[in-house]
Amino acid sequence: MRVAVFSDVHSNLEALERCIAHAHTHGAERYACLGDMVGYGADPEGTLELLMALPGLIAVRGNHDESLFRDPGDGAPRGVREASAWTRTQLAAAQLEFLNRLPYVVREAASTYVHASAYEPTRWEYIRSAEQARRCLAAADSPLTFIGHVHETRVFYETAGGAIRDFTPASGEVIPLSPRSRYLINVGSVGQPRDGNAATGYVLYDEARAEVTFHRLAYDYESTARKIRAAGLSPLYAERLAWGR
Ligand SMILES: [Fe+2]
């Protein structure tokens, strides 16, 4: 079984279509979306339509999905609040219902799927340090955990001796998964990458071969940016697509 795992689509339909098409031609049989399906972008309805039709979809909630139904608090940027309010007006009732019912965590076979961290997932922690990764791996208690939220690709792993190591994977790099290690895979962001690379991206997990491959793909972010401006959303969300920031 090959599972295409991706996160933080943020209503960027062009980027999502690019990833899904690539995953399909590379043998993906199932799809896992790690939340933040909406927010920032101008295509929430088309994004949800495509996502909800994916075969064997595994889906968890992100903070932006949740902010449609719960006030994100005074700390949230004004643009995020505006995008949430606007997104609510764009979605069909069944799409809102789908988002409102998303679980925080899904565990299947040897894998855990969560947006931010398996350790207190409702806190939306940004995992950047070895200590945070250790807490998440301990809470997930499974050989393989997939996360998003940070919008940067990263692999953390726990060695047999208990040390946490990490590295930034290259596009196309095949990463073999040792049965003696536990892995925390940050799949990056489909729709708003923030590692200085404008390319969209996802991870293909090959269960039978026990390996993951990160893919980064060029897409037409100028079309996406035009739609964001035309919808009257924050122009920053359009500009940053070209910067990958
Ligand atoms: Fe996000």
Side-chain angles (χ1 to χ4, degrees):
M1 175 74 76
R2 287 187 188 147
V3 188
V5 191
F6 57 91
S7 191
D8 297 85
V9 177
H10 286 294
S11 301
N12 182 336
L13 186 57
E14 290 74 23
L16 179 62
E17 285 173 339
R18 181 76 175 95
C19 288
I20 300 299
H22 188 275
H24 183 72
T25 58
H26 287 75
E29 294 150 277
R30 288 194 75 180
Y31 294 82
C33 177
L34 305 180
D36 278 8
M37 299 166 197
V38 297
Y40 300 132
D43 271 314
E45 191 181 16
T47 294
L48 263 292
E49 200 180 316
L50 179 50
L51 285 176
M52 289 168 71
L54 290 173
L57 179 69
I58 294 161
V60 295
R61 77 169 54 205
N63 48 306
H64 283 257
D65 309 318
E66 187 165 275
S67 76
L68 298 188
F69 311 101
R70 281 191 203 171
D71 190 328
D74 293 339
R78 198 171 55 132
V80 169
R81 291 161 164 281
E82 285 171 357
S84 286
W86 179 84
T87 298
R88 260 196 310 270
T89 69
Q90 302 296 306
L91 293 174
Q95 296 176 325
L96 285 166
E97 177 81 0
F98 169 81
L99 291 174
N100 201 14
R101 284 173 177 266
L102 289 171
Y104 286 98
V105 184
V106 170
R107 287 190 172 82
E108 278 204 15
S111 304
T112 296
Y113 302 88
V114 61
H115 182 63
S117 175
Y119 173 76
E120 299 187 354
T122 60
R123 283 180 47 227
W124 310 119
E125 179 181 17
Y126 291 88
I127 294 184
R128 297 183 194 278
S129 73
E131 253 335 284
Q132 292 171 306
R134 184 190 300 283
R135 279 202 301 264
C136 176
L137 283 166
D141 195 23
S142 58
L144 187 54
T145 301
F146 292 101
I147 59 169
H149 193 45
V150 183
H151 294 220
E152 291 175 17
T153 55
R154 182 71 58 127
V155 175
F156 294 90
Y157 62 100
E158 190 173 37
T159 65
I164 301 284
R165 309 241 189 276
D166 73 280
F167 63 94
T168 300
S171 180
E173 185 181 350
V174 179
I175 299 160
L177 304 171
S178 162
R180 289 180 299 281
S181 290
R182 292 200 291 191
Y183 292 85
L184 177 59
I185 308 283
N186 193 321
V187 302
S189 168
V190 170
Q192 281 272 340
R194 290 182 193 153
D195 59 356
N197 177 359
T200 184
Y202 77 100
V203 165
L204 197 58
Y205 166 41
D206 190 322
E207 271 179 314
R209 298 171 69 101
E211 62 189 31
V212 294
T213 309
F214 285 75
H215 291 288
R216 297 297 293 270
L217 310 160
Y219 77 101
D220 180 14
Y221 57 74
E222 280 167 11
S223 289
T224 312
R226 270 196 298 277
K227 290 188 199 170
I228 290 173
R229 291 192 191 97
L233 297 165
S234 169
L236 173 67
Y237 302 151
E239 277 169 58
R240 63 193 301 179
L241 292 175
W243 312 329
R245 288 279 176 210

